[in-house]
């Protein structure tokens, strides 16, 4: 595979600057000032934070706005295969991932402006997004927070058109705190004085209270899921309801019941930001929105060919207990509609609650194959991960790779009439590696 120029630029930066996060706005603010503060010259911004669901919300938000005929820039992180996935530039007929030459030039220019001073690569890449979005015309920017909110490098936007907080649960405790109310307080840092706030479905009342209290204290028009808007499935359709009435919509293309709530938050966000989408545009967005690596069905590819014939293969990068719960619920729905034995191929990193993730699948998964995450320094060994899965009440064994797990399952599968259902998950690193090896990277 040819190494892209932008990839080389970014990999070089990673040899110069520390990996990971160093939560602060001082360094990125200094850099942006040298660049002429591009974040102040972008189109209106819909800013999205949360522990789970923020990427799906961004995908739905972009789809609604584009179906409305608007030009939309989108920033998401992390990427799965190529750095270019983080920047989708507006274009007629729908945005396109930034081309290699444009990204490489922007990375080089931003790095030069930094002048070798202490900074993280994520801060540089966030500044790159601001530069790209300021210099290319669009009607709106959809921007996903990287980590947390209050000190995330994206949080230099003075007056967002809307701030969105998706479900808050435990994750990144070393950075954000070990209680949901502490994490919620960090996420609430993107809420700005007087700017509209949309609060998505919250699994914890303590988190919801922090978010609502913050919005009230800052005098923000606030839209809370379950109070000011909601959505539900009825007769194979999605019904969205708010103070303006009901919308009868197609079910979200993204798999899982949780995507109905994610889609509802996106609809509320677009409305709160003042874009007044048509019902036809919203309906089209529900049927077309896509988000790679999140309950993504893999119908073909090099890895798929190694599985038992007719196997149904799903890929999801969710990696914390909250994600495990919604993924397990989505697979339980699949089981009700089309019963099949379920197998899990899992790889995880050591900053995640592996046992908490596995517990969500107890009683649902027939067997777990654990694989190493060699492409991350924090990868948990497959032997250790198998022990964690067994401690959570699952049958598990370590294997050397996803390909090995699929071939082992193929060689031992004996029921040709009922092919298995397979989930590959536990890490976005793993999801990206699978998409690359399968030959189906995001486009």
């Amino acid at each position: 595979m040819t190494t892209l120029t932008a990839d080389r630029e970014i990999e070089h930066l990673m040899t110069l600057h520390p990996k990971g996060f160093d939560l602060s706005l001082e360094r990125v603010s200094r850099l942006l000032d040298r660049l002429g503060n591009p974040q102040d010259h972008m189109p209106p911004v819909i800013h999205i934070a949360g522990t789970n669901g923020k990427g799906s919300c961004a995908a739905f938000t972009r789809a609604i706005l584009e179906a409305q005929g608007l030009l939309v820039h989108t920033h998401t992180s992390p990427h799965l295969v190529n750095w270019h996935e983080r920047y989708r530039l507006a274009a007629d007929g729908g945005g396109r991932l930034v081309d290699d030459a444009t990204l490489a030039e922007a990375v080089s220019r931003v790095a030069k402006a930094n002048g070798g001073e202490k900074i993280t690569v994520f801060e540089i890449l966030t500044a790159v997004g601001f530069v790209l979005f300021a210099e290319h015309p669009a009607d709106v920017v959809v921007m996903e927070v990287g980590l947390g909110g209050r000190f995330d490098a994206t949080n230099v936007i003075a007056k967002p058109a809307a701030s969105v907080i998706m479900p808050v649960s435990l994750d990144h405790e070393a950075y954000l705190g070990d209680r949901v109310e502490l994490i919620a307080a960090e996420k609430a840092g993107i809420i700005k004085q007087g700017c509209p706030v949309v609060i998505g479905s919250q699994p914890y009342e303590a988190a919801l209270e922090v978010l609502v209290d913050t919005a009230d204290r800052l005098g923000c028009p606030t839209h809370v899921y379950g109070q000011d808007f909601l959505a539900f499935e009825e007769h194979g359709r999605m019904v969205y309801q708010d103070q303006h009435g009901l919308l009868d919509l197609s079910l979200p293309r993204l798999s899982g019941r949780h995507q109905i709530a994610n889609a509802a938050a996106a609809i509320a966000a677009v409305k709160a930001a003042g874009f007044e989408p048509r019902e036809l545009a919203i309906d089209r967005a529900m049927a077309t929105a896509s988000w790679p690596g999140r309950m993504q069905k893999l119908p073909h590819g090099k890895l798929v060919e190694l599985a038992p014939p007719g196997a149904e293969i799903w890929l999801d990068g969710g990696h914390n207990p909250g994600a495990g719960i919604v993924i397990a619920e989505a697979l339980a729905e699949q089981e009700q509609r089309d019963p099949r034995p379920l197998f899990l191929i899992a790889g995880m990193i050591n900053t995640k609650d592996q046992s908490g993730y596995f517990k969500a699948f107890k009683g649902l998964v027939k067997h777990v194959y654990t694989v190493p995450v060699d492409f991350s320094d924090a990868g948990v060994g497959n032997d250790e991960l198998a022990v964690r899965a067994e401690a959570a009440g699952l049958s598990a064994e370590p294997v050397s790779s996803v390909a090995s797990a699929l071939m082992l399952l193929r060689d031992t599968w004996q029921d040709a009439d009922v092919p298995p259902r397979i989930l590959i998950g536990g890490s976005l690193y793993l999801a990206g590696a699978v998409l690359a090896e399968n030959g189906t990277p995001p486009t």
Side-chain angles (χ1 to χ4, degrees), residues 303-328:
L303 283 175
V304 173
E305 292 172 0
L306 302 177
E312 183 181 289
I313 303 178
W314 296 86
L315 178 68
D316 194 283
H319 46 244
N320 54 49
I325 290 170
V326 297
I327 297 165

Side-chain angles (χ1 to χ4, degrees), residues 1 80-81 302-303 430-442:
M1 180 181 296
L80 293 173
V81 179
K302 296 177 182 177
L303 283 175
L430 180 65
V434 166
L435 289 173
E437 189 175 352
N438 195 50
T440 52

Side-chain angles (χ1 to χ4, degrees), residues 209-269:
E209 290 179 3
V210 169
L211 299 174
V212 171
D213 288 348
T214 303
D216 288 346
R217 176 170 51 81
L218 293 174
C220 301
T222 306
H223 311 268
V224 180
Y225 184 87
Q227 298 178 25
D228 305 298
F229 70 98
L230 57 85
F232 52 90
E233 180 179 352
E234 186 173 76
H235 306 306
R237 302 279 291 172
M238 171 176 157
V239 178
Y240 172 88
Q241 181 176 5
D242 61 18
Q243 66 270 31
H244 301 294
L246 297 173
L247 298 177
D248 177 25
L249 305 167
S250 299
L251 284 173
R253 180 184 177 209
L254 301 184
S255 183
R257 189 171 299 169
H258 61 290
Q259 294 295 1
I260 292 177
N262 291 342
I267 297 168

Side-chain angles (χ1 to χ4, degrees), residues 88-383:
R88 184 178 292 272
L89 297 183
D92 290 330
R96 303 289 185 272
L97 299 187
V98 62
D99 66 79
D100 189 57
T102 300
L103 179 56
E105 188 280 330
V107 171
S108 177
R109 182 158 36 115
V110 171
K112 183 177 180 180
N114 185 60
E117 293 196 40
K118 182 179 179 181
I119 200 165
T120 67
V121 174
F122 181 76
E123 289 167 334
I124 290 178
L125 295 181
T126 301
V128 166
F130 290 137
V131 167
L132 291 172
F133 296 163
E135 294 179 352
H136 292 78
D139 299 306
V140 57
V141 173
V142 177
M143 179 156 287
E144 180 188 346
V145 166
L147 188 155
R150 182 165 61 112
F151 290 123
D152 184 76
T154 65
N155 198 30
V156 292
I157 301 161
K159 292 190 72 66
S163 299
V164 185
I165 314 291
M166 296 301 288
V168 173
S169 59
L170 291 174
D171 199 8
H172 299 294
E173 291 96 326
Y175 293 102
L176 306 179
D178 59 0
R179 302 197 313 275
V180 290
E181 55 267 37
L182 296 178
I183 295 176
E186 293 297 322
K187 309 290 185 187
I190 71 166
I191 298 174
K192 303 294 168 46
Q193 186 84 39
C195 297
V197 176
V198 172
I199 299 175
S201 175
Q202 297 298 325
Y204 296 98
E205 187 67 27
L208 177 61
E209 290 179 3
V210 169
L211 299 174
V212 171
D213 288 348
T214 303
D216 288 346
R217 176 170 51 81
L218 293 174
C220 301
T222 306
H223 311 268
V224 180
Y225 184 87
Q227 298 178 25
D228 305 298
F229 70 98
L230 57 85
F232 52 90
E233 180 179 352
E234 186 173 76
H235 306 306
R237 302 279 291 172
M238 171 176 157
V239 178
Y240 172 88
Q241 181 176 5
D242 61 18
Q243 66 270 31
H244 301 294
L246 297 173
L247 298 177
D248 177 25
L249 305 167
S250 299
L251 284 173
R253 180 184 177 209
L254 301 184
S255 183
R257 189 171 299 169
H258 61 290
Q259 294 295 1
I260 292 177
N262 291 342
I267 297 168
V270 172
K271 288 187 167 193
F275 290 101
E276 294 301 328
R278 299 184 302 273
E279 183 170 356
L280 182 62
I282 299 173
D283 186 72
R284 185 181 304 124
M286 295 302 102
T288 59
S290 65
W291 189 225
R294 282 76 170 181
M295 283 305 292
Q296 177 182 358
K297 193 173 184 179
L298 300 180
H300 57 80
K302 296 177 182 177
L303 283 175
V304 173
E305 292 172 0
L306 302 177
E312 183 181 289
I313 303 178
W314 296 86
L315 178 68
D316 194 283
H319 46 244
N320 54 49
I325 290 170
V326 297
I327 297 165
E329 288 176 348
L331 290 166
E333 292 173 22
Q334 298 282 353
E335 174 66 15
Q336 287 181 344
R337 290 195 293 266
D338 177 21
R340 297 183 185 216
L342 175 64
F343 293 82
L344 173 58
I345 301 173
M348 300 189 74
I349 62 175
N350 60 23
T351 58
K352 306 302 176 184
D353 179 0
Q354 300 107 42
S355 297
Y357 174 83
F358 284 127
K359 284 178 182 177
F361 298 95
K362 185 176 181 180
L364 184 64
V365 168
K366 184 178 180 68
H367 190 65
V368 181
Y369 298 100
T370 58
V371 298
V373 183
D374 295 330
F375 14 85
S376 169
D377 295 339
V380 177
N382 52 348
D383 290 323

Side-chain angles (χ1 to χ4, degrees), residues 404-415:
S404 296
L406 292 171
M407 289 188 290
L408 179 60
L409 189 53
R410 180 193 63 196
D411 293 342
T412 56
W413 192 253
Q414 297 179 343
D415 190 349

